Amino acid sequence: MAIRTILTDKDKALRKTSREVTDFNPRLHMLLDDMNETLVGALGVGLAAPQVGILRRVAIIKHPETGELAEFINPTIIAQDGEQIFEEGCLSVPGYRGKTKRPAHVVVKAFDRDGKEFEMEGEEVIAVAMCHEIDHLNGKLYTDIVDGDLWEVED
Ligand code: ZN
């Protein structure tokens, strides 16, 4: 495994739409393992493949309290409801946070690293992370939907 460089929002790759994964092969597994190590090293909640320069529909989320890791290949949101205001940040926008409005509850359908389909529900920070990471796969950043100004934080 290896820690990969996380691109910042100045990099145009973050504005591109990522392509679907068609081969659930060792190369994908290596990408996922590297992304996991990169996320842990950066103390983040989620990471999408375009953030490490790979324009494929791959994202991971690590629950900030339980440490449970979820891997999402070709994820889509199939249901969402409610609303929450969240103080959101992004490893590609280091040192800042901003207020966003996100669904309170999200259901995502995706494939695991072996190509098996699954569904996962998320609330609170996980619902936010699901939306945030899927946005990355579509070239969007939370700063696009932020309400008001970003503020600086010490990461
Ligand atoms: Zn992000």
Side-chain angles (χ1 to χ4, degrees):
M1 294 209 287
I3 289 183
R4 302 207 185 186
T5 303
I6 299 176
L7 306 181
T8 66
D9 58 344
K10 284 166 197 70
D11 200 300
K12 287 193 176 75
L14 288 179
R15 291 307 189 172
K16 302 223 162 104
T17 301
S18 293
R19 286 172 297 148
E20 295 229 323
V21 171
T22 51
D23 294 323
F24 295 79
N25 56 19
R27 214 180 136 114
L28 171 68
H29 296 177
M30 191 194 288
L31 171 65
L32 284 161
D33 291 343
D34 286 358
M35 284 173 64
N36 186 14
E37 198 176 342
T38 304
L39 180 63
V40 170
L43 302 173
V45 175
L47 188 67
Q51 291 181 277
V52 293
I54 307 292
L55 293 174
R56 288 286 181 179
R57 304 189 78 81
V58 174
I60 60 172
I61 294 174
K62 199 174 177 66
H63 196 293
E65 277 138 43
T66 66
E68 202 181 326
L69 179 75
E71 298 177 338
F72 302 91
I73 320 298
N74 302 338
T76 48
I77 293 173
I78 55 169
Q80 61 179 65
D81 56 77
E83 202 174 275
Q84 60 175 320
I85 305 292
F86 202 83
E87 295 186 357
E88 209 162 320
C90 177
L91 293 174
S92 293
V93 191
Y96 290 91
R97 282 205 210 306
K99 267 200 181 115
T100 56
K101 195 192 283 178
R102 297 286 197 181
H105 173 237
V106 173
V107 185
V108 168
K109 186 177 79 174
F111 295 86
D112 71 11
R113 59 165 61 205
D114 299 313
K116 191 165 168 273
E117 196 175 70
F118 69 96
E119 285 180 19
M120 186 176 145
E121 289 188 61
E123 291 179 327
E124 298 175 345
V125 63
I126 299 304
V128 173
M130 285 168 159
C131 296
H132 180 119
E133 300 314 326
I134 290 172
D135 279 353
H136 272 304
L137 306 182
N138 296 320
K140 293 184 198 149
L141 298 172
Y142 84 92
T143 49
D144 300 344
I145 58 159
V146 79
D147 182 21
D149 294 327
L150 300 180
W151 62 89
E152 280 188 68
V153 289
E154 283 179 41
D155 275 342

